[in-house]
Amino acid sequence: MSATAFPASRRADRALVLGIGLALAGAAQAQVVRAPDVPTPQDTPYSGTLTLQVDAGDVRQGIYRVHETIPVSAGRLTLQYPQWIPGDHSPSGPVAMLAGLTLTANGKPLPWRRDTFDVYSFHVDVPQGVSAIDASFQYLSPRDDGFEMTDKMLQLEWNKVALYPAGHDTRGITVAPSVTLPAGWEFGTALETASRDGATTTFKPVDFTTLVDSPIYAGRYFKRVDLTPAGGAPVHLDVVADAPRFLDISAEQLQVHRNLPVQAIKLFGSHHYAHYDFLFSLSDVLGGNGLEHHQSSENGLGDDYFSAWDENAPDRDLLAHEYTHSWNGKFRRPADLWTPTFNVPMGDSLLWVYEGQTQYWGYVLTARAGMWTPQQFRDALAMTAANYDRNRAGFRWRSLEDTTNDPTAAHRAPLPYRSWQMSEDYYSGGQMVWLAVDAKLRAISGGRKSLDDVAKAFFGVDDGSFAVKTYTFDDVVAALDGVVHYDWADYINRRVYQVDPPLLEGLQASGWKLVYTDQPSVFEKQYDGRHQSARHRYNFAWSIGLVMNDDASINDVLWDGPAFKAGVSSGATVLAVNGQDYSRDTLKQAIADAKGGSAPIVLTLKYQGGVRDVPVNYHDGLQYPHLVRVEGTPDYLSKIIAARR
């Protein structure tokens, strides 16, 4: 019966009943506490020592088997799987890869329950008389891409294979870790060995924060190379490779790698590690990687890093970048990025310092160490500058600082229009800001002061200390002002916190300018030709406005560029160019032939099951970036990259 069939009085009664019901439902909803039921971390030591045993022997199936013993007392216990991972700057902990979790006490199973609003937290009620519980589970490493385990090497990141008790700062939780590797394998790590028994190594106990900060690289083919500066703290390059021949290092290569810690110490005037290990995988199978730690770093490149040295200049800045983070990011850390545990959200607002200045020093130290020639440095910088000249239309609506939200907002997922959406531009955009700051310091001081002086004052304090020293925006401004007095807050605000930042001004102020020719630099040819998937793209962004994948699909279309205006979409596949089967060279030749003419470049595109011809009106030819001197101006750039004696 419809509501209109009720008499007026009954309709009123029904409305009252419905109203009361809805009100009660609303009240019930209002009482739901939509927050994790997890203890707040306290800066108090956790009683007892956790033992963590990881069996990493199943390299063919990619399974890490974990057994953990956790001292406890009776009552409610919450175990957490690390969620917010330092260096990732995001809630990237791979909890979906944790499987087979069982908890026992005195040999009897204990039921557990995952928190309703926090999938990284697991609750268990500990019975009276129980002083420790055992946790067993597997971490199932990726099997389709981004491998962490192969039959020749592995990388073990402890945050992926450990649970910890909530309610305490992780620096107050002590862990005794051990790992079992395949027989005959060797490893590198910042952890210190307590004992070895066959294939099992037990490490000295550390706090949980230090454990997560101390990964292991291990492999069948391993070499440990001493890079220790004279009189300095030990520094080593721990290399695992797909085959023994990839471990061969020439005397020249060894020397430039030894120069790196020398130049870093001269720059910062300090060190903040007892010993430092570059963990370095050379593989076309294991996933490429770059992740900073306080006393080590994870670095992954192709297997021919040493064997094809003359062809891989674009890869060589990785070690310097991650090493710089020992000072910038690990020792000095943005205040909103420091957290007491790995499950407290991080703030990324100062990544333009943390990553941007590190990107700047990474390039500079690579050149100062001799790992790049001055020309290679300039060619690398030209490519970076060209992106901010022609390939970042998104600055019309986003600031550089706003891109510091990308690790959490985008998780490095593929973007359909990267030039418009932008992605983590605090790295290279931040690099351009710090180049401008360096040039400004030099100009105001008449060349007597530079960003080197700021680095010593800011990162060089408390030599030898491992204790994290946080910083804020005001601290950054004060450090600059302490070297050269200027309105640095306003200067940075214009370049970091506002749209349309003048990111190329640092080049001109350093005595160089960006130009384009129809020939790529040797450096750019190498960059386009590297075999790693992340770099196996062909860049026509500065001309027709396309970035191509090697399978003929379109990786990116420059927003408002020639191809975009013609209606070309990212994700489409180019079948032909002007009627000829597509290849990189075919497209390249078509762009060159169209220069100065009037006929469009016709792209035959396949997309979403259809095929169509798209005419693109572009007639300015091939465009490749280079730096040239601005005559009559100080050449600060050459001084910036000169080795310190």
Side-chain angles (χ1 to χ4, degrees), residues 123-342:
H123 303 301
V124 60
D125 292 319
V126 179
Q128 291 290 335
V130 171
S131 60
I133 65 171
D134 292 291
S136 296
F137 62 92
Q138 303 87 41
Y139 170 68
L140 309 178
S141 66
R143 294 287 84 199
D144 54 351
D145 194 15
F147 293 107
E148 299 169 19
M149 252 189 182
T150 75
D151 60 355
K152 296 182 178 68
M153 65 180 68
L154 64 82
Q155 59 189 68
L156 171 58
E157 295 173 329
W158 295 99
N159 58 281
K160 297 176 179 178
V161 294
L163 298 169
Y164 68 94
H168 298 263
D169 289 10
T170 50
R171 61 187 173 182
I173 301 172
T174 303
V175 187
S178 65
V179 64
T180 301
L181 298 170
W185 283 30
E186 295 296 330
F187 64 88
T189 182
L191 294 173
E192 296 181 2
T193 298
S195 64
R196 298 187 74 164
D197 182 8
T200 298
T201 300
T202 300
F203 300 100
K204 295 179 181 179
V206 293
D207 63 79
F208 195 86
T209 299
T210 300
L211 178 69
V212 169
D213 200 41
S214 306
I216 293 174
Y217 274 32
R220 181 180 302 175
Y221 309 113
F222 176 88
K223 176 180 280 189
R224 184 169 170 85
V225 182
D226 190 355
L227 305 181
T228 304
V235 179
H236 289 89
L237 186 67
D238 302 329
V239 191
V240 291
D242 282 340
R245 68 181 183 277
F246 297 124
L247 296 173
D248 293 338
I249 305 174
S250 71
E252 176 190 1
Q253 293 164 355
L254 177 59
Q255 186 58 57
V256 296
H257 285 80
R258 283 179 170 165
N259 292 344
L260 179 55
V262 171
Q263 290 299 317
I265 296 298
K266 288 181 180 293
L267 169 63
F268 297 115
S270 67
H271 70 279
H272 301 286
Y273 47 80
H275 47 79
Y276 190 92
D277 287 81
F278 291 98
L279 309 179
F280 199 11
S281 64
L282 304 182
S283 175
D284 288 341
V285 182
L286 196 77
N289 197 20
L291 189 62
E292 64 271 16
H293 301 284
H294 208 139
Q295 298 195 98
S296 65
S297 57
E298 298 179 62
N299 309 272
L301 292 171
D303 57 14
D304 63 352
Y305 175 79
F306 292 116
S307 61
W309 180 258
D310 292 338
E311 286 79 48
N312 68 16
D315 292 338
R316 296 184 205 154
D317 64 307
L318 175 62
L319 296 178
H321 179 101
E322 302 305 340
Y323 187 40
T324 297
H325 272 313
S326 183
W327 289 267
N328 183 14
K330 304 309 290 186
F331 169 58
R332 296 303 308 265
R333 191 175 307 174
D336 63 358
L337 199 56
W338 181 89
T339 59
T341 78
F342 299 103

Side-chain angles (χ1 to χ4, degrees), residues 72-120:
V72 296
S73 56
R76 176 74 172 274
L77 174 69
T78 298
L79 298 176
Q80 293 191 297
Y81 187 79
Q83 178 182 14
W84 288 82
I85 309 305
D88 288 356
H89 317 306
S90 65
S92 58
V95 69
M97 300 301 179
L98 180 153
L101 176 62
T102 61
L103 302 179
T104 62
N106 298 328
K108 298 179 180 179
L110 290 177
W112 56 265
R113 178 181 61 82
R114 199 186 299 251
D115 189 89
T116 304
F117 298 105
D118 181 1
V119 298
Y120 288 82

Side-chain angles (χ1 to χ4, degrees), residues 89 334-337 346-354 400-405 407 426 471-473 496-497:
H89 317 306
D336 63 358
L337 199 56
M346 297 174 176
D348 291 340
S349 66
L350 290 175
L351 286 181
W352 56 273
V353 184
Y354 180 119
L400 185 68
E401 188 272 341
D402 188 59
T403 71
T404 65
N405 295 295
Y426 52 81
Y471 61 83
T472 64
F473 176 87
V496 175
Y497 293 92

Side-chain angles (χ1 to χ4, degrees), residues 6-28:
F6 282 105
S9 60
R10 292 188 63 190
R11 290 201 301 271
D13 291 343
R14 190 173 189 230
L16 177 62
V17 171
L18 286 171
I20 293 172
L22 289 171
L24 290 173

